[in-house]
Amino acid sequence: MLDYDEEAERYDALRGGEARAAAAAEAVLSLVPGGARELLDVACGTGIVTRRFPAARPGLRVTGADLAPSMTRMAAARLPGAVIRADSRALPFGDARFDVVVSVWLLHLMSGPREVRTVVGECARVLRPGGVYVTTVHKGASHNVGSDIDAVLAARPPSPVPDAPADVAAAASAHGLLPAGEARFRGHGQGRSPRRTIADLRRGWFVTLPPGEPAAEEFASRLAGLPDQDRPRPDPVFSLRAYRRPPTGNPEGPGGDRWTESIRPPRRSVS
């Protein structure tokens, strides 16, 4: 498992920078009701995606939360006064506080289904009636683009998939959330080259291949034998799912039927 506190300084540069952030923000907002006024970005990281939400939607107030101190500091520099340090498993907000809750690239980091249910439960708890929860699902599968690198890595021990779509949907349903659409976006600049994959392998990217172990070095050797060591293979494509808390039935209130009518139809294109 990567240390995201240590990873903060190079996080954006290694993950597609502004191009990926723009694609992620656009896809998330395609699932966000047009009338939303309060958005919580859980595990906001460096804030590179978070800051795009209010820029694209005037009148949308954003709060970012992240557990890693270095990530939180970087996000706070991008969104002064709008970022706090918080654990996604115990959010420091009252019930029904936000119109939208977002968790991009978070659930795959959980230890298993039970922890996923806890996080989804917290996101649902702070969501107002009529509000929408948007999250990435099955992040690991997004990186399998059918390349020669994937063919080599296919033989590694399988990783757990805490963010499997069916499990996330079940967790959402258990907390009263209903499916409300899906979208996909391209991870610009994240196409792996063999040399970069070897570097990722040796810094703990692949949880079932701990750095320094013989198995990890065996895979590194196989990757080193591939052609075009510095040529990136295709970018990953990430999947988003949205879930809505049913409205209270008050058509005029912030969580009422009229507010939820502004939800955009599901978007399936990839930018």
Side-chain angles (χ1 to χ4, degrees):
M1 179 71 71
L2 294 180
D3 185 328
Y4 283 89
D5 205 32
E6 292 183 0
E7 192 81 356
E9 290 296 329
R10 57 182 181 175
Y11 184 88
D12 294 339
L14 291 176
R15 291 166 177 80
E18 295 293 350
R20 185 186 78 150
E26 181 183 4
V28 169
L29 288 174
S30 76
L31 298 168
V32 169
R37 290 294 176 264
E38 297 275 352
L39 182 150
L40 172 64
D41 191 1
V42 181
C44 67
T46 67
I48 192 172
V49 176
T50 318
R51 69 176 177 183
R52 290 178 173 272
F53 297 143
R57 292 278 187 93
L60 181 64
R61 190 165 75 174
V62 170
T63 300
D66 201 278
L67 185 58
S70 295
M71 292 283 197
T72 306
R73 285 193 294 271
M74 293 183 68
R78 286 171 163 154
L79 291 155
V83 177
I84 66 167
R85 185 167 178 240
D87 190 328
S88 61
R89 296 163 296 188
L91 294 172
F93 304 104
D95 296 353
R97 171 72 173 76
F98 298 94
D99 301 319
V100 180
V101 179
V102 177
S103 64
V104 176
W105 303 306
L106 170 64
L107 298 184
H108 70 287
L109 300 174
M110 298 299 103
S111 61
R114 178 177 297 180
E115 200 165 51
V116 167
R117 287 193 296 271
T118 297
V119 173
V120 173
E122 278 295 277
C123 292
R125 179 183 63 78
V126 302
L127 196 62
R128 290 173 180 154
V132 173
Y133 171 51
V134 181
T135 185
T136 42
V137 296
H138 213 333
K139 180 179 181 290
S142 302
H143 288 278
N144 189 337
V145 296
S147 71
D148 53 351
I149 295 173
D150 296 319
V152 169
L153 294 176
R156 75 184 189 276
S159 299
V161 187
D163 62 337
D167 291 339
V168 174
S173 177
H175 292 285
L177 304 184
L178 305 175
E182 57 187 78
R184 299 190 303 159
F185 64 94
R186 191 172 303 281
H188 295 283
Q190 287 191 278
R192 291 173 174 159
S193 68
R195 199 181 311 279
R196 175 175 167 178
T197 305
I198 292 170
D200 286 340
L201 180 65
R202 287 174 171 160
R203 67 193 184 94
W205 182 281
F206 301 98
V207 296
T208 59
L209 293 172
E213 290 198 358
E217 288 307 308
E218 181 180 342
F219 277 94
S221 177
R222 294 181 194 173
L223 291 165
L226 295 178
D228 303 318
Q229 281 286 300
D230 294 309
R231 176 177 63 81
R233 278 40 171 184
D235 290 327
V237 175
F238 300 103
S239 296
L240 290 169
R241 297 289 172 88
Y243 302 92
R244 182 178 65 135
R245 178 171 291 289
T248 59
N250 174 10
E252 302 296 337
D257 297 334
R258 184 170 298 174
W259 186 80
T260 59
E261 284 174 0
S262 59
I263 294 177
R264 301 180 180 184
R267 195 183 98 123
R268 296 180 181 273
S269 60
V270 179
S271 59

